[in-house]
């Protein structure tokens, strides 16, 4: 199977890191949604990433769907998300908040690099949403006394948060102050020190307007 997308996307990166942690072999096709849209289109008509193309040709789109498939593939004992119950819902909530943060951080980046004149109302709205989500995630992470949200074992919530924190810090350094979000900063540092994170990383390379 092969994964489409560049690793400066927090969504592509979280999928690739999960694949590595699960020990699943894959080919990486670092196609850009801007420069390589025509290559992506046959697999994903939305021309979005990540897209994971399975050995049989089936193309899975959106990181949540891809990770759900990977969890099913490796089995319940190895899956990085509880199978059911309140614990699963708690982790899915963290993943959803991280994904929403990533969406807003990407939108704000595009607003800056693709528009000659930024729409102030949109910039203010995205900035407020990013700040509010960071505040909630900081409070949630500060309550966890174990190395990861799942305890001693890394899970999808940990990966998602670490990936979007890195992206936000690189794309909008003025919006992430480690002194203001110490629990998130420590969490990010712990994850980024892992071999899978150091292997799967790419400096931010935003499109040019």
């Amino acid at each position: 199977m092969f994964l489409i997308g560049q690793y400066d996307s927090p969504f592509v990166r979280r999928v690739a890191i999960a694949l590595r942690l699960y020990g699943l072999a894959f080919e990486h096709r670092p196609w850009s949604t801007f420069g390589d849209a025509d290559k992506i289109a046959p697999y994903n008509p939305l021309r979005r990433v990540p897209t994971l193309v399975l050995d049989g040709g089936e193309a899975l789109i959106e990181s949540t769907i891809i990770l759900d498939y990977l969890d099913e593939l490796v089995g319940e004992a190895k899956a990085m998300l509880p199978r059911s119950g309140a614990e699963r819902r708690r982790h899915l909530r963290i993943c959803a908040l991280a994904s929403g943060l990533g969406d807003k951080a990407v939108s704000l980046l595009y607003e800056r690099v693709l528009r000659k004149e930024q729409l102030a109302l949109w910039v203010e709205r995205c900035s407020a949403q990013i700040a509010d989500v960071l505040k909630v995630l900081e409070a949630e992470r500060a309550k966890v006394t174990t190395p990861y949200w799942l305890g001693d074992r890394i899970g999808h919530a940990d990966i998602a948060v670490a990936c979007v924190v890195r992206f936000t810090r690189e794309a909008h350094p003025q919006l992430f102050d480690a002194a203001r979000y110490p629990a998130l900063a420590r969490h990010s540092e712990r994850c980024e020190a892992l071999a899978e994170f150091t292997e799967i990383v790419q400096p931010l390379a935003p499109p040019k307007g």
Side-chain angles (χ1 to χ4, degrees):
M1 57 185 167
F2 59 89
L3 176 64
I4 297 172
Q6 298 190 352
Y7 290 156
D8 62 350
S9 160
F11 305 103
V12 176
R13 191 176 182 228
R14 70 178 291 210
V15 170
I17 288 171
L19 283 162
R20 278 286 184 268
L21 286 167
Y22 280 152
L24 297 171
F26 70 98
E27 176 189 340
H28 180 216
R29 299 191 182 179
W31 296 343
S32 163
T33 54
F34 285 85
D36 304 301
D38 289 342
K39 293 181 182 178
I40 299 172
Y43 304 101
N44 185 345
L46 291 169
R47 296 164 171 80
R48 295 181 64 182
V49 296
T51 296
L52 182 69
V53 182
L54 307 183
D55 292 341
E58 180 183 2
L60 304 180
I61 63 175
E62 300 292 341
S63 56
T64 301
I65 296 172
I66 295 170
L67 293 171
D68 184 67
Y69 166 77
L70 297 181
D71 288 350
E72 181 182 333
L73 188 63
V74 300
E76 185 175 351
K78 195 175 179 181
M80 290 189 287
L81 186 70
R83 182 64 178 172
S84 61
E87 189 72 358
R88 175 181 175 85
R89 293 191 298 275
R90 185 169 74 91
H91 284 263
L92 285 174
R93 177 175 178 271
I94 298 300
C95 289
L97 287 169
S99 294
L101 171 59
D103 282 336
K104 292 304 173 180
V106 170
S107 293
L108 189 57
L109 177 65
Y110 286 172
E111 181 72 18
R112 186 176 77 234
V113 301
L114 296 179
R115 281 184 184 268
K116 291 183 179 179
E117 296 184 9
Q118 297 179 38
L119 183 61
L121 179 62
W122 182 245
V123 171
E124 291 172 7
R125 179 177 173 82
C126 287
S127 298
Q129 289 171 302
I130 289 170
D132 286 348
V133 174
L134 285 172
K135 182 179 178 180
V136 171
L137 288 175
E138 171 67 20
E140 292 287 340
R141 190 63 183 92
K143 291 189 296 186
V144 178
T145 58
T146 53
Y148 303 106
W149 257 287
L150 274 173
D152 292 328
R153 185 164 64 98
I154 195 169
H156 290 311
D158 302 293
I159 301 169
V161 170
C163 287
V164 298
V165 164
R166 183 186 185 100
F167 180 87
T168 303
R169 294 177 85 162
E170 291 187 349
H172 313 290
Q174 77 282 5
L175 296 180
F176 190 95
D177 181 357
R180 186 177 183 182
Y181 307 112
L184 288 179
R186 289 193 299 270
H187 175 84
S188 179
E189 290 167 5
R190 177 181 290 112
C191 291
E192 293 292 350
L194 298 175
E196 293 80 6
F197 281 76
T198 59
E199 174 194 357
I200 297 171
V201 66
Q202 175 185 332
L204 180 62
K208 302 184 185 301

